[in-house]
Amino acid sequence: MDISRLRESVIAHEGIRYKAYADPILGASAMTTAVGHLIKLPEEEYLLEKELTMDEVMELLDSDLEVAIKDAKKFIDEDSIPEEAFEIVVELSFQLGYPRLSGFKKFQAALKENNFLAAKSEMLNSKWARQVPARAKNLSDKMGEINA
């Protein structure tokens, strides 16, 4: 897995914010900072008022990516699909969290069959794709370009 490529893709989709903001989909009930970091209350309440440095942003991102990678490995065996496909699964895990990612059963089945065109189709046939259409198109297009 190319962590630098993954980090760049997540940053391109999430953007970098140095102060807390309301999640664009979930609103003020899901305050966020850095690179799509969901602020966990009450233990991270200090992040609601703090202006982060770039080092702090990257530290939060790397920690969140570790969780997303671990969860992606629960969803699919990393070694069973090409590196680029696994990075896309990690990015979905990063954005959705494991509980919502685990609901992508047909997507998971397509990956297990190394059918990346079907996986692309399943990505686009989701509530997630309706919520974040530009990101869904970008990631699903990448998935559709993978050759088994």
Side-chain angles (χ1 to χ4, degrees):
M1 176 173 22
D2 185 332
I3 294 291
S4 294
R5 180 174 58 207
L6 176 61
R7 189 182 290 120
E8 286 175 25
S9 182
V10 171
I11 290 171
H13 289 126
E14 293 283 346
I16 295 176
R17 303 285 274 286
Y18 298 95
K19 293 193 65 98
Y21 62 97
D23 179 90
I25 295 171
L26 302 174
S29 67
M31 293 301 288
T32 308
T33 192
V35 182
H37 175 78
L38 180 63
I39 297 172
K40 296 168 208 70
L41 298 176
E43 62 268 21
E44 292 182 335
E45 189 170 353
Y46 70 96
L47 290 174
L48 292 172
E49 301 300 323
K50 181 172 177 50
E51 184 160 350
L52 300 172
T53 66
M54 180 56 90
D55 285 344
E56 291 168 323
V57 165
M58 296 313 281
E59 186 177 311
L60 285 169
L61 174 59
D62 288 343
S63 175
D64 289 344
L65 283 173
E66 282 180 30
V67 171
I69 291 165
K70 179 181 64 94
D71 288 346
K73 288 178 179 180
K74 285 194 275 186
F75 185 75
I76 187 115
D77 176 14
E78 176 181 9
D79 297 324
S80 69
I81 58 176
E83 175 178 80
E84 296 85 356
F86 187 72
E87 289 170 19
I88 293 167
V89 173
V90 171
E91 192 160 346
L92 283 168
S93 176
F94 181 93
Q95 186 188 12
L96 298 169
Y98 183 73
R100 286 194 300 248
L101 175 63
S102 67
F104 281 59
K105 301 291 187 200
K106 291 179 181 176
F107 171 67
Q108 186 180 44
L111 289 174
K112 286 181 178 179
E113 295 171 3
N114 280 282
N115 186 340
F116 303 109
L117 288 177
K120 172 185 178 172
S121 177
E122 291 304 327
M123 291 171 76
L124 292 172
N125 185 26
S126 68
K127 181 179 177 184
W128 166 77
R130 291 186 294 281
Q131 290 174 329
V132 289
R135 178 184 288 190
K137 179 172 179 2
N138 178 266
L139 290 176
S140 65
D141 284 350
K142 287 181 185 178
M143 184 65 77
E145 294 169 2
I146 295 171
N147 297 314

